[in-house]
Amino acid sequence: MQKHDSKSAFFTSAFFLMTFFASAADVPITQDELVRRTQELYDAVVPGNQTPWKKYFADDCIFSDEKGRTLDKPKLIADITPMPAGYSGAIKIENAQSRIVGNTAILSYDTDETETIFGQNLKARYHVTDTWLQRNGNWQIIASQAHRYYEDPAVGKADPKEYADYIGTYELAPGQRRSVIAEGDKLFVERSGKKEQLLPETSEIFFRKGVEGRILFRYAATGKVDALIDRRNNEDVIWRKTMGKEEGRSKN
């Protein structure tokens, strides 16, 4: 009888252990909890608190940031340091969405960053996608990727009197042309019937609203503009000037 009872107790204990480990290996998580943990990570950035980053990132994680760097966990943790004296800031999560399937959870969200540098305020917006993986009952980030939203630069000042130098037609290749025209104190670039305003960043550097890159006008040794430079990601596409003001069209 005692032998039977001990065997029964053994199987009962084994059953409860199997149930325990099975439940430990299948711990559900919610979007609210993912957001809470992620906000905890960002709250730790300013003071340089590495603890939540060590806790919530897997040892074999891949972290790709908005600077184009890809870091493993040791390099990621080493990158979390306190902000210098005179610097402060905050990062807030917005527009979170998730997909949670089994032991995998994907959290996609925006971050609104405010940084104060000796009393001057800077803002930036990023989009981040984190992949959380549950292993041994523990949810951790296995991969993270971020990119920064493009923001137009501040509008500077330009002298409309200089626009006469820029007005004309520019050619990239035969049949590929764009024109620069002025209307009052505004400058425009026109191609295939599409007209976009050139907003000044400085007197000779312009940008188009919502378009990443810059438009520059190059002066030749003669002192006259001989090319329009479409600068994208630090690489230049050069449009050579073919007609000047007298052959282009302007409206004053």
Side-chain angles (χ1 to χ4, degrees):
M1 184 72 177
Q2 290 180 348
K3 196 171 184 180
H4 174 75
D5 289 345
S6 62
K7 188 180 290 187
S8 176
F10 170 79
F11 284 116
T12 301
S13 298
F15 173 78
F16 280 115
L17 283 172
M18 290 173 63
T19 303
F20 171 78
F21 286 118
S23 62
D26 187 24
V27 178
I29 198 164
T30 64
Q31 176 175 305
D32 287 346
E33 177 60 17
L34 292 172
V35 170
R36 186 197 68 77
R37 294 185 183 192
T38 306
Q39 187 62 63
E40 184 181 344
L41 288 168
Y42 289 119
D43 289 344
V45 170
V46 172
N49 178 14
Q50 297 178 349
T51 300
W53 292 79
K54 292 178 180 177
K55 178 180 179 181
Y56 293 135
F57 275 85
D59 290 340
D60 54 348
C61 70
I62 300 173
F63 182 89
S64 299
D65 68 9
E66 73 285 354
K67 300 174 184 177
R69 302 180 303 170
T70 297
L71 309 177
D72 58 13
K73 186 171 182 177
K75 290 179 181 178
L76 169 61
I77 300 304
D79 204 48
I80 306 300
T81 57
M83 296 186 76
Y87 287 64
S88 62
I91 302 173
K92 298 300 179 185
I93 295 175
E94 298 177 343
N95 307 320
Q97 298 184 61
S98 67
R99 300 293 185 269
I100 303 172
V101 181
N103 66 344
T104 304
I106 296 174
L107 185 69
S108 183
Y109 55 92
D110 295 333
T111 61
D112 187 1
E113 177 182 320
T114 302
E115 185 175 6
T116 302
I117 303 177
F118 292 94
Q120 299 185 52
N121 294 322
L122 303 176
K123 293 185 71 66
R125 293 175 60 246
Y126 303 88
H127 187 78
V128 186
T129 300
D130 296 332
T131 300
W132 294 73
L133 184 64
Q134 180 190 223
R135 290 185 288 197
N136 301 319
N138 188 26
W139 286 91
Q140 289 184 307
I141 298 173
I142 189 69
S144 179
Q145 186 165 17
H147 73 258
R148 182 170 182 170
Y149 284 112
Y150 171 75
E151 302 285 352
D152 288 331
V155 177
K157 292 183 178 180
D159 185 355
K161 294 178 182 178
E162 296 180 356
Y163 292 173
D165 292 343
Y166 310 146
I167 292 170
T169 300
Y170 298 81
E171 186 176 74
L172 177 64
Q176 299 295 319
R177 292 184 172 187
R178 65 190 349 177
S179 298
V180 173
I181 61 176
E183 297 181 358
D185 61 352
K186 295 179 180 179
L187 197 66
F188 296 87
V189 62
E190 186 174 36
R191 183 184 182 191
S192 302
K194 181 181 179 181
K195 186 170 68 174
E196 297 176 287
Q197 185 176 357
L198 295 179
L199 300 166
E201 186 173 0
T202 68
S203 60
E204 297 174 10
I205 301 176
F206 298 80
F207 65 93
R208 292 163 289 173
K209 187 174 179 61
V211 178
E212 190 168 1
R214 300 293 187 273
I215 298 293
L216 299 83
F217 293 95
R218 187 181 71 185
Y219 282 86
T222 60
K224 295 182 178 181
V225 171
D226 70 345
L228 177 153
I229 299 174
D230 190 347
R231 180 163 292 171
R232 309 176 187 180
N233 196 27
N234 296 321
E235 295 184 325
D236 294 342
V237 177
I238 298 175
W239 297 68
R240 302 190 183 280
K241 195 172 188 181
T242 62
M243 292 189 292
K245 179 181 177 181
E246 65 281 358
E247 296 175 88
R249 63 187 180 92
S250 64
K251 296 167 66 175
N252 295 313

